[in-house]
Amino acid sequence: ELFIRMKGAKTRLSLLDALVTPKDRMQLAQELGLDWKAIDYHIIRLNKYGLVHEDRAFGKVKLYRLTTWGETLLQLLKEFNREMGGGARSAGTEVAAAHIAR
């Protein structure tokens, strides 16, 4: 197989897609049906590679948003998916995994 599957890539791509609008970890957890601890784990990874940015909203609540690089990557993956006829969601996930699943 041409692409390598990496654990967590699909979840991280879902997070990127959800962060088109800035959200806190509880909003992300509800939207994606994940535990907030899982959200924290993946957000740390995405932040490490410069795909998301953390903003303090109020008190201890942090809002997360896509960086320019995160927006660009998400757009490229959506275009790739469209060009592949919409059936390449997993292939797109695997391509992105090289950058976001480390």
Side-chain angles (χ1 to χ4, degrees):
E1 184 172 38
L2 178 62
F3 300 108
I4 299 171
R5 294 183 187 272
M6 294 189 176
K7 186 176 180 180
K10 185 176 180 181
T11 300
R12 292 186 192 121
L13 282 174
S14 295
L15 274 167
L16 289 176
D17 200 33
L19 286 171
V20 169
T21 303
K23 294 179 177 80
D24 66 33
R25 70 179 181 181
M26 295 309 282
Q27 290 170 315
L28 289 166
Q30 289 175 344
E31 184 175 327
L32 300 176
L34 296 171
D35 182 86
W36 65 265
K37 290 178 184 179
I39 296 294
D40 279 351
Y41 173 79
H42 292 291
I43 288 289
I44 288 168
R45 302 290 238 178
L46 293 170
N47 193 10
K48 177 180 176 182
Y49 290 100
L51 300 172
V52 299
H53 181 75
E54 177 182 296
D55 293 319
R56 193 163 303 277
F58 51 92
K60 293 183 180 182
V61 176
K62 298 174 186 172
L63 284 180
Y64 301 98
R65 61 176 170 82
L66 291 178
T67 63
T68 302
W69 170 231
E71 290 172 359
T72 302
L73 179 61
L74 186 60
Q75 184 62 35
L76 287 170
L77 291 170
K78 286 180 178 182
E79 287 177 22
F80 177 76
N81 191 38
R82 277 193 302 273
E83 289 175 10
M84 298 301 288
R89 176 78 175 145
S90 64
T93 299
E94 293 159 7
V95 168
H99 294 284
I100 64 175
R102 295 178 186 171

